[in-house]
Amino acid sequence: AERDAARMPRPRRTLIAAAAGLAWLAGGPALPPAGAGIAAAAAPAAEAPIVEPLGAFVWRNSDEDFGGFSGLELSDDGSRYWALSDRGTLRWGSIDRDGQGRIVRLTTAGSARLQDSRGRKLKPGYLGDAEGLAIDTEGRIFVSFEGLDRIARFDDPDQPAVVVPRAPAFRALKRNAGLEALAVTPSGDLLTMPEDWREEDQGDGSSFPVWRFRNGAWSTPYRLPRDPRWAPVGADVGPDGKLYVLERDFRGVLGFSSRVRRFTLSEDRLGPPELLLETIPLQYDNLEGIAVWADGQGIRVTMISDDNFLFVQQTQLVEFRVRERPGAPAADTPAASPAPAPPLTFAAPAD
């Protein structure tokens, strides 16, 4: 979420700065050395996927509006990107990779400050706190906002927004805990969910609502299983037709942990949660955006971190590959929840 001092509660902002500062003093919010652990989701079982860490890349740029990235989309082949900042800007460009498919450079081709439906440029804060990003098969850009909780469509990032009707439930969203996650299905349905949800509005407190926008109307066909530690901050529908949800756990001075779960999608329910990966505190920065694509060897999960415009944090792009084991369920069959596995390790590539 937007982290301007005027908007973020002072204790939370102080904790984020302190957590990042401790990591920096201990060697930086640098990428994990060889031996850093990732709690991967798969035990050696026929139905469990293989989760392979592919490295992480620190993205640096001297532009004044660079940072605060909360949403990410990649092209089908992973060669182009769109990165959304929570200060109301969008930038896009190309990704260069080495022979092993790891990121070595990002080049910016263009950027834009998003506009409201009247053509006024959005300022950082209440109206410009852009969080979730989704691009449909027609190339239309959808953005979810906190502050004034809403979703807008941009047929061109340099043109005024097209209003998407608000769901009545959006009025119940908590401040600074609104629509961080946004995804679009191949058929054009929008899916979004709150970062937090009031107990009295969620029944027994065991799930989050997942709202769907289809044919001009909102519904709540899905419920996301809730874990008190974790908050959904990003989402994408992968080429396998499954919903991938990036969740965050903020532990104060211990820093951030992240996990990714995926769910099969039917017309009116989500399949059982399938835990793909869970990171240890301070292993990565504040991962908020997620893009899922096919790299020819499996499903590639690419995530981007929000540096909160703090010098002690970094903009990181972190990638994993998910491969199904022989005999695994088909994409439209709910997979069983995997058991935890011993941590995976890898050395991050140099910047």
Side-chain angles (χ1 to χ4, degrees), residues 3 18 38 46 61 131 149 158 184 196-197 244 246 272 284 293 300 311 329 333 345:
R3 307 303 185 197
I38 300 169
N61 188 293
E131 293 292 343
D149 297 294
D158 288 309
V184 62
D196 198 4
W197 190 243
Y244 289 70
L246 170 63
Y284 299 113
W293 51 287
R300 183 80 68 103
F311 79 95
T333 302
T345 61

Side-chain angles (χ1 to χ4, degrees), residues 15 66 172 179-181 197 239 247 254 291 302 315 340:
L15 281 172
F66 178 87
L179 306 176
E180 291 229 4
W197 190 243
E247 297 170 292
L254 294 179
T302 304
T315 298

Side-chain angles (χ1 to χ4, degrees), residues 73 76 134-140 142 183-191 212-214 222 236-244 263-266 292 331:
E73 283 277 29
D76 290 345
I135 302 177
D136 69 9
T137 56
E138 298 179 27
R140 299 179 300 179
F142 293 87
V184 62
T185 68
S187 62
D189 295 342
L190 293 177
L191 302 175
R212 180 174 66 195
F213 185 70
R214 173 190 287 179
Y222 309 125
D236 198 12
V237 175
D240 54 0
K242 295 183 179 182
L243 176 65
Y244 289 70
F263 306 81
T264 57
L265 285 167
S266 68
V292 184

